[in-house]
Structures are given as structure tokens and as C-alpha cells.
Amino acid sequence: VSLFRKGRMKKFLSAVGGIRSRPKYVLSFEEAERRLGSGQVKELGECFRSCTEQRDLGGKLKRGPFQRCGALRERGIIHEGDKKYVVDSVFNGFDADGKGYISWEEFVVGVAVTTDGTPTERLKFTLRMYDVENSGFVTKSDLTKLYVAIAKEDGLIQGGRRQRLPSGKRRDVDLRQEIGDIVDDIFSRYGEQYPNYERMHYFAFKRFLEADERAGTLRHFLEPEVVEFDFAE
């Protein structure tokens, strides 16, 4: 019973690995401001106020305005015509606390990391982009949701069925099952088994991105060229 007092249960579960919230920032706000410089910070502030329709910097930047943010497009962080899963993933990377909106501090840190981050900072940001469940890790569920979203936007899934392969051939195969098999194989190589689920921590995720061609689409801020993920064998 005492475990439930004063948040002890949450601390206990965190200690044994049952709960892990991701760190607030990949980079401190002060360091992000320093890297960007006063001129860029001022410009970003004007854009943030415009997108949140607030006079001060206390607004909440939601997904729609985020996608239309001119400062992000000018810096190549998002682009006209980006697919939804790309924009959603970048938004997740900026949304450090997983609350569903981006604060001014998160906005500045996100821009600094994606435009002037070290390889380690960019890798941590990339892990956060695909940590859909806000667990501090990339889980099998995270990766499955991402690949299903990619397949839907590429027109490969309609009603749960494969429509047309990149080669032009048709197969009556449930693509969701194929994606499940791919993710199972990825986690058998790079993941670690935890009581109720499998996950990839920072170093395992790093090995996956560096060594596996199936990670091509996920290297959004890690390579100048993005290799499109191909579900065809």
C-alpha cells in the first residue's frame, strides 16, 4: 500500500524500467539560443507568434500551423509536399514532452538541433521522432505504425490489402502482415526483450540506422540523401 503514497509507485516502476519518460530536451534552451544567435532567435519568435496567433511567446504550436511554418521551410526542416508521416515525425521530434503541441522553448531547441546539431544530438532527435508512444525507446509498435503510415501514403495499403508493388506486379497479400514480419526481423536483430514488449534503446537504434537498409526513410536528419523504404523483396 505504501508504494501508492507520494508517487512511490511511479518511482518504483521507473526504477525497474516499467515507465520511462523521455528527457525534456536533446539540447538546453540556453545552448540552442547561443548556437542560433540573436538574429535567428528574433526571426523564429516572430514566426512562432504568427503561427500560434499570440502576441507573446507563451502560445502552443499545433500540427497544422507547424506544417505551414515558413521559418521551418526556409531552413529545410520541412518541405512543401512532404508526406504526412514525415511532418508528423518531425513534429514528434520537436514536441519534447509529448503533450501534443510545441512550446517556444521546444521550437528553438528543435530548430537548433536539426540545423546545427552534432551527430549525437541529431541521432537522439531522430529517436524521439519515432518514439510515438513517448516511452524513451523505439518499440515494435512505434516502428509498425510508422511503416504502415508509409505504405498508406505510398498507395500500397487500401483496406488493408496490397494494391501494387513498385515493380508493377500485383500480389494478393496482406501488407500489414508483411510489415509485421519485417519489424519482427528488425527487432530480432537490434531490439531487446522487455517483460511485455520489445524495444530499441539509443545504441541499438543507432546500430539499426547505420547498418540496415530498411532504415533508409528514417534517416531524415542524418543523411543528405533519403533512401526510400521499399517493401518489395
Side-chain angles (χ1 to χ4, degrees):
V1 176
S2 61
L3 283 175
F4 289 94
R5 295 175 182 169
K6 298 181 181 180
R8 291 181 181 179
M9 175 58 79
K10 184 174 182 180
K11 292 180 181 178
F12 170 75
L13 290 174
S14 179
V16 300
I19 293 178
R20 175 175 176 176
S21 58
R22 54 187 178 180
K24 175 66 175 173
Y25 296 129
V26 171
L27 185 69
S28 73
F29 177 65
E30 292 74 19
E31 175 61 16
E33 283 189 307
R34 187 193 68 78
R35 290 189 194 179
L36 292 171
S38 59
Q40 280 203 76
V41 172
K42 181 179 179 180
E43 179 190 345
L44 290 174
E46 293 173 357
C47 178
F48 187 84
R49 284 190 289 266
S50 174
C51 289
T52 58
E53 299 181 346
Q54 298 289 327
R55 292 184 178 181
D56 57 24
L57 297 173
K60 301 176 180 179
L61 181 57
K62 302 295 183 64
R63 290 180 186 270
F66 177 82
Q67 185 173 5
R68 300 187 295 270
C69 181
L72 300 180
R73 295 190 177 191
E74 290 169 5
R75 289 164 174 77
I77 298 171
I78 55 176
H79 309 85
E80 183 73 32
D82 271 348
K83 293 182 179 179
K84 185 177 182 298
Y85 74 83
V86 172
V87 177
D88 284 347
S89 297
V90 177
F91 183 93
N92 291 339
F94 273 72
D95 181 14
D97 55 17
K99 290 184 177 179
Y101 62 84
I102 296 168
S103 68
W104 164 240
E105 289 80 6
E106 290 171 332
F107 188 67
V108 171
V109 170
V111 171
V113 171
T114 52
T115 60
D116 193 32
T118 66
T120 297
E121 290 164 354
R122 288 182 181 226
L123 181 60
K124 289 180 178 179
F125 182 88
T126 300
L127 187 149
R128 176 174 285 162
M129 285 171 61
Y130 304 116
D131 177 14
V132 178
E133 298 176 348
N134 196 28
S135 65
F137 305 92
V138 172
T139 66
K140 188 178 286 188
S141 174
D142 290 332
L143 204 56
T144 300
K145 289 175 182 176
L146 173 67
Y147 283 160
V148 167
I150 294 172
K152 282 183 175 180
E153 293 208 42
D154 286 345
L156 296 175
I157 287 183
Q158 184 175 349
R161 308 299 294 181
R162 177 187 292 275
Q163 297 303 300
R164 183 181 293 276
L165 291 171
S167 62
K169 298 179 181 178
R170 290 180 180 273
R171 287 195 302 178
D172 186 21
V173 177
D174 188 340
L175 185 55
R176 293 177 190 272
Q177 180 59 52
E178 185 176 343
I179 291 172
D181 293 341
I182 290 170
V183 173
D184 284 345
D185 182 64
I186 289 171
F187 272 80
S188 71
R189 295 170 186 246
Y190 306 100
E192 61 176 349
Q193 183 67 47
Y194 201 70
N196 298 318
Y197 60 93
E198 293 180 70
R199 67 190 187 185
M200 279 191 280
H201 54 64
Y202 171 82
F203 292 106
F205 187 64
K206 181 176 185 290
R207 290 196 300 272
F208 169 57
L209 291 177
E210 291 174 342
D212 202 304
E213 62 182 9
R214 293 170 295 187
T217 300
L218 279 65
R219 302 185 186 111
H220 193 69
F221 293 109
L222 302 179
E223 293 181 341
E225 298 294 333
V226 177
V227 181
E228 289 297 329
F229 185 83
D230 186 359
F231 289 101
E233 300 267 323

